[in-house]
Amino acid sequence: MFKITVLPGDGIGPEVTAGALRVLRAVQKRTGVEFVTREALFGGGAYDQTGTPLPEETLRQCLDSDAVLLGAVGGPKWDNLPVHLRPEAGALLPLRKKLEVYANIRPSVVFSSLADASTLKREVVEGLDIVVVRELTGGLYFGAKRREELSEGGVRVVETLEYTTGEIERVARVAFELARKRRKKLTSVDKANVLESSRLWREVVSGLAGAYPDVELNHMLVDNCAMQLVRNPRQFDVLVTENMFGDILSDQASQLTGSIGMLPSASLGGKVGLYEPIHGSAPDIAGQNMANPIATILSVAMMLRYSFSLDDAAGLVEQAVNTVLEEGYRTADIMQPGMRPVGTMEMAELVAEKVEKS
Ligand code: IPM
Ligand code: MG
């Protein structure tokens, strides 16, 4: 029996998590493994109801579960609140920190049936299968910040970028281990020609290479990496990088697959894993049964694999998604001429039925 805390959050979050839970029920039926799920308030909705985007009770419940499934948070309604009450800075970042999930795994896989949905040419993206490992609990996101009025007029801001050897080493190890189970190629991304933090990053990652002689390590500057990702993305296998670079490069990598609506993520390293689609709350399409639930469904697959070691069950879910796409079903974000349009819940239902019948 596994205990899962579900944080539906804001915008399309409740719809995509409902779809993913439908698929989880199918996995339970198919495998006999029991999943006990319990929702908790998180994000803008939690602020509206309790005055804080991350209620104590939610945090306690997350820490007391085997895994956490998160939809998305945020929206224009909460954008003007003081920073510490906003869903992103007041809930999502502290949750990551409190769960100590320092390694964020973001795979970008192009399903062959979707190779034409990418804005890049089919021959550039077909067969793409890369993973960005993003450091998630350090760097600019969590460094001290200051804003001061200047006597001569204007404002001065300070953001602090801090990393320790230990913080770099632990996430680099996750990336080496992952590369070892894949095509054994690791690219560490930094800005070592300018930043001291990047020079330490490079030193520490290089220092680990000897412990992973089977993995081929190379270093790449982040600007070049951004270019290489659209020029020839299949040169990569696993990428590892600090928090901010990882945020940017993982959005870019996601678009290679056709839609950010396809991409799951797993945040690991602490006692409890956190699983979330990499897309945001998309308030413009919320409540319309339009959002693509596949990113959240594939996040459940990652949960099965990484938190529960149910590799076969994870494979069933991934295979079911693949089959439904092969059969031509598409949500609006990946719609192409001649395909069969479906809404959020229909897409989830189709995947769930495949899992049950597999
Ligand atoms: C992500 C998001 C978040 C981040 C935002 C919502 C704070 O963009 O998970 O990539 O920057 O980490
Ligand atoms: Mg992001």
Side-chain angles (χ1 to χ4, degrees), residues 21-194:
L21 289 180
R22 169 68 188 91
V23 175
L24 187 68
R25 293 275 86 87
V27 173
Q28 173 163 316
K29 204 163 151 191
R30 169 71 172 68
T31 62
V33 179
E34 194 190 342
F35 304 102
V36 178
T37 59
R38 218 176 117 204
E39 289 193 3
L41 289 171
F42 187 70
Y47 170 78
D48 289 345
Q49 288 190 43
T50 69
T52 162
L54 178 54
E56 272 301 314
E57 172 55 25
T58 296
L59 190 57
R60 205 196 46 71
Q61 197 184 310
C62 288
L63 285 165
D64 182 46
S65 36
D66 297 306
V68 177
L69 179 68
L70 167 62
V73 288
K77 187 173 171 200
W78 305 285
D79 279 349
N80 296 319
L81 288 171
V83 175
H84 70 284
L85 294 176
R86 282 189 215 159
E88 297 84 357
L92 186 57
L93 302 187
L95 180 69
R96 289 172 176 170
K97 194 80 175 174
K98 294 265 165 58
L99 292 180
E100 298 173 66
V101 284
Y102 56 80
N104 181 219
I105 319 276
R106 296 187 162 186
S108 273
V109 177
V110 171
F111 288 84
S112 60
S113 50
L114 286 185
D116 290 317
S118 173
T119 44
L120 274 78
K121 294 194 190 92
R122 173 183 269 274
E123 57 265 34
V124 176
V125 297
E126 192 161 36
L128 181 81
D129 177 1
I130 63 179
V131 185
V132 177
V133 178
R134 169 189 176 193
E135 199 292 323
L136 200 61
T137 53
L140 280 172
Y141 276 64
F142 293 94
K145 300 169 202 306
R146 208 169 66 234
R147 171 187 269 267
E148 61 201 32
E149 306 288 332
L150 293 173
S151 54
E152 69 267 30
V155 173
R156 189 174 111 96
V157 293
V158 181
E159 309 257 4
T160 322
L161 173 46
E162 246 184 87
Y163 270 112
T164 63
T165 309
E167 283 175 311
I168 300 167
E169 197 177 305
R170 64 186 184 178
V171 69
R173 280 192 190 281
V174 171
F176 272 110
E177 295 287 343
L178 193 63
R180 183 168 256 186
K181 294 195 201 108
R182 295 172 44 96
R183 300 191 301 279
K184 302 185 172 34
K185 225 188 129 187
L186 178 62
T187 304
S188 174
V189 182
D190 62 40
K191 189 72 184 172
N193 51 350
V194 177

